Structures are given as structure tokens and as C-alpha cells.
Amino acid sequence: MQPSYVVHAIEGRARLRHPALADVRARGEAQALLRDEKGVNEVRFGSESLLLLMNPGTDFAAICQRLEEKIPDLLKPKAEVASAHKAERRSQFGAKQAGHKGKGAVRGTGFGDMLGDMQIPSFLRPFVSGNGKGKIMGISPRKFEVRSLLGAGSLCLLAGLAGGKGLHVAAGLAWATLASRHVWVRRKAL
């Protein structure tokens, strides 16, 4: 019976896939081990996988055993290793973000991206909080952005119908600016 990380193994070719192989250190150890392995012609790395091209008759079970000794995470369940890697990346990302935050700076998604590292005046701080993921006047930044977009569009329409040319043009420019930004930020989702 083959280990769970072996996706397929046929004569001269085998694919190994496991979240432990996404780690740079583990890849280096696997490469060092497989480079010296007799019968292995080539090793190709994927995002979480290895493709082994071997000579016919190579003892693949022995190669797997040596890999398991070198990288013990291969024996752990895939979900457990994946969640551990995800938690590690989150902690590294959180530590990286903590180093970039300044007092009063608004960063993150939505409204915070628009402001960048701009310092918020003290009279506006009650309305804009946290790192861009906080609340703006009691609602999330994304909802605030969409409601502002709809409000500017409505004001533009109403001013156009009422005959207020100056207000119509100003509201139209505000709507166009907000709509352009909305499309730019979400361009990959479109």
C-alpha cells in the first residue's frame, strides 16, 4: 500500500503531493536527498508537489521511506499540516502588518486603501477606526463605499431632474470618481 501523499506511481514516474512540500526548508531537504538518490533522473517541483522521473526498476518504496525520515510532516494528515502552515503565514503577516501601523493610520481594504497611510485628523477619528477593517459611522468600509456610490448617483439623478446644473455636475463627478475607484479595486473580480 502506498503512502497517502503519493498521488500516482507508475514505472519510471511518480507524483507526490502534500502541504508539507510547500515549505521551502522541506523542499530543500527533499531536493538534497533526491539529488543523491540512485535511479532518480529528475525532480520537478510544483506548488505542493514533487514529480519524480526515475529509471525503470528503481525502488520507489525505499525512496518514500527515506523522504519520510527526512521530512516527518509527510506522515501527518494533510489537513493538519495545511492548517499549521496557514496559521504560521497568518502570524507572519500579522507581525509584518503590526510593524507598518502608525497612530491614526487607516489601512486595509475598502475605504482604508483610498486613504493609504494618511494621518486622520483628530475630529474624524471617531468616524474612522482601526486598520481599515473597523467601522465608519457604524458600518463596514465596503458598505460605506457602496452607499456613498449610490448616494452620489442618486443625488446626480435628482439634481439633473430638478434642474440644478452645478449640483448635478458636482454629484456626477463624485459618482464617476467613486465608480472608477470601485471598478479599479475590484478589477480582478470583474
Side-chain angles (χ1 to χ4, degrees):
M1 179 160 173
Q2 294 182 3
S4 63
Y5 57 85
V6 177
V7 177
H8 72 267
I10 57 175
E11 188 72 25
R13 179 183 168 104
R15 166 87 54 193
L16 313 176
R17 184 175 321 242
H18 197 277
L21 297 172
D23 185 35
V24 176
R25 181 191 55 79
R27 280 180 185 226
E29 290 177 357
Q31 188 175 20
L33 175 79
L34 295 170
R35 187 179 327 125
D36 299 334
E37 198 65 41
K38 216 174 194 181
V40 176
N41 295 330
E42 188 178 350
V43 180
R44 296 181 189 164
F45 290 93
S47 60
E48 291 183 349
S49 68
L50 293 173
L51 177 65
L52 301 175
L53 301 176
M54 306 171 284
N55 292 332
T58 302
D59 188 8
F60 180 64
I63 292 173
C64 287
Q65 185 177 12
R66 285 189 285 279
L67 266 175
E68 290 168 1
E69 291 170 3
K70 195 79 163 175
I71 308 168
D73 283 350
L74 288 174
L75 296 173
K76 294 180 182 176
K78 292 179 181 181
E80 180 183 323
V81 174
S83 65
H85 283 294
K86 191 173 185 179
E88 182 180 335
R89 283 193 308 270
R90 276 190 189 147
S91 67
Q92 290 173 349
F93 179 75
K96 185 178 178 183
Q97 288 297 319
H100 291 302
K101 289 183 185 174
K103 185 177 179 183
V106 176
R107 294 192 51 85
T109 59
F111 189 65
D113 281 344
M114 187 169 59
L115 297 176
D117 285 329
M118 184 174 105
Q119 293 295 317
I120 304 300
S122 60
F123 67 91
L124 286 178
R125 285 196 185 130
F127 300 108
V128 181
S129 63
N131 61 356
K133 295 181 182 176
K135 304 268 182 191
I136 301 170
M137 296 189 296
I139 58 174
S140 71
R142 184 166 180 163
K143 284 184 182 178
F144 181 80
E145 177 186 354
V146 171
R147 289 179 185 177
S148 299
L149 185 65
L150 292 173
S154 300
L155 183 61
C156 179
L157 181 66
L158 290 174
L161 293 174
K165 185 176 180 182
L167 181 60
H168 174 70
V169 170
L173 287 172
W175 181 85
T177 303
L178 289 169
S180 298
R181 183 192 176 283
H182 181 81
V183 169
W184 179 257
V185 167
R186 290 161 182 80
R187 66 190 177 277
K188 290 184 180 178
L190 295 175

